[in-house]
Amino acid sequence: MIFSVSQSSLAKALSIVSKGMSSNATLPILTGIHITAADGMLELQSTDLAISIRCKIPAQIDAPGQTVLSGKTLLNIVKNLDGSSVHFNATSSSCVITCGSSTFNLIVLNPVDFPEFPEFVLERSVELPATLLSTMVDKVYRVTSKDTSRPVLSGVLMTVENNVIRLVATDSFRLAVCDTNVETSALNDGFEMIIPGTVFHDVLTIPSESETILIGSTDSQVVFVFGDTTYVSRRIEGNFPNYKQLLPASNQTSVKITSSELSGALRRVSTISVNNPKVCMDVNTDDASIKLSTTSPDMGEASETLPVEAEGSSLSIALNYRYVEDCVSAAGSDVQLTLELQDAMRPAVFKTWGKINYLYLLMPVRM
């Protein structure tokens, strides 16, 4: 196999497929990147058996063929080259890589041992704006559970229906929901799927020149296609919790505050509360203020009072400040947050409205 390829194109493709490489040293073939050269295209593949990634880039093919090289080594070599073109000459036992005055002679792995890229026939699919979807995933994926005993909670529920995209995630302590309107006229029926949270996030951090991303499903897989990249993962089976029944129909107290003000106060108050994540929030609707306070047996006490717009009854609630910080970070800077409360032992609900509507429900901590 002999080919030449642009260093920048190869570096970009390797950064994409490297996300699928396994770190399992007991199966060395899975730590490699499978390279196929044919018909003026270079096809790179990686897999850890749970996910598989394929990326195609143009190249000058002088002799077609295939090989497998150590992914980590190849990535480190290519990203440090300063030439415009990289030349590969591979045999069944080695691969010589040259670029300018640099030469590398690498041991290769047998491509026959590399798993076949998953074949799929999509049962359903939808094409969505990539940048918008990426922003939405950023708002919810950190709420997914890390508890492997309940895999359905490690996923993001995505529904697309009547030109509305909605993403939902929960770890049973908190719930994040975001939705937006987008043109999906090509979709005849509703689309619903539970996508692994880490996969969803990783896919949408992959650089791409494509403005849209196609998401499809088979009976056991979720498939992402954008540009010349295909990403296949196992999908999550099961029933997502009925989150709608958790959303309060009304509230006793409503508070409006900017995200940057709340974030700053939380950051200051929590400096003495490393081992105690509880922050008390006392809402006073008479003087339109909210007081954040915390105590630490080892450090002492801290509090800060902020002016807010408040309606309804005065009340107090205790929340995990780390979870509140996640909410504020996801909402964005200088965004007006609406905090809706029922009482001290019922969930607090944070909301924002805009191009993307965002809701964050958080279970309270005992006072």
Side-chain angles (χ1 to χ4, degrees), residues 93 114 145 206 243 274 303 358:
S93 59
F114 199 85
S145 175
I206 293 175
Y243 68 93
V274 177
S303 66
Y358 181 59

Side-chain angles (χ1 to χ4, degrees), residues 131-164:
T131 302
L132 179 65
L133 192 60
S134 177
T135 302
M136 295 178 70
V137 171
D138 279 342
K139 290 182 180 294
V140 302
Y141 92 95
R142 71 188 71 190
V143 177
T144 55
S145 175
K146 306 301 183 287
D147 183 359
T148 56
S149 66
R150 299 185 67 187
V152 72
L153 297 186
S154 69
V156 174
L157 174 66
M158 184 182 82
T159 61
V160 184
E161 191 171 16
N162 298 326
N163 292 332
V164 174

Side-chain angles (χ1 to χ4, degrees), residues 238-317:
N239 296 317
F240 200 82
N242 183 4
Y243 68 93
K244 292 181 180 179
Q245 68 181 6
L246 302 175
L247 304 179
S250 61
N251 63 80
Q252 296 296 320
T253 305
S254 176
V255 177
K256 292 183 179 179
I257 184 172
T258 64
S259 57
S260 55
E261 288 179 339
L262 180 57
S263 176
L266 278 172
R267 188 169 59 251
R268 290 184 288 272
V269 169
S270 63
T271 52
I272 71 159
S273 191
V274 177
N275 298 318
N276 176 22
K278 182 174 70 174
V279 168
C280 293
M281 294 185 174
D282 299 300
V283 180
N284 189 323
T285 56
D286 294 328
D287 63 8
S289 68
I290 183 170
K291 179 183 177 182
L292 279 63
S293 61
T294 187
T295 61
S296 169
D298 302 323
M299 303 297 293
E301 302 176 352
S303 66
E304 182 168 340
T305 302
L306 299 172
V308 294
E309 294 181 38
E311 296 178 353
S313 307
S314 297
L315 60 80
S316 299
I317 191 170

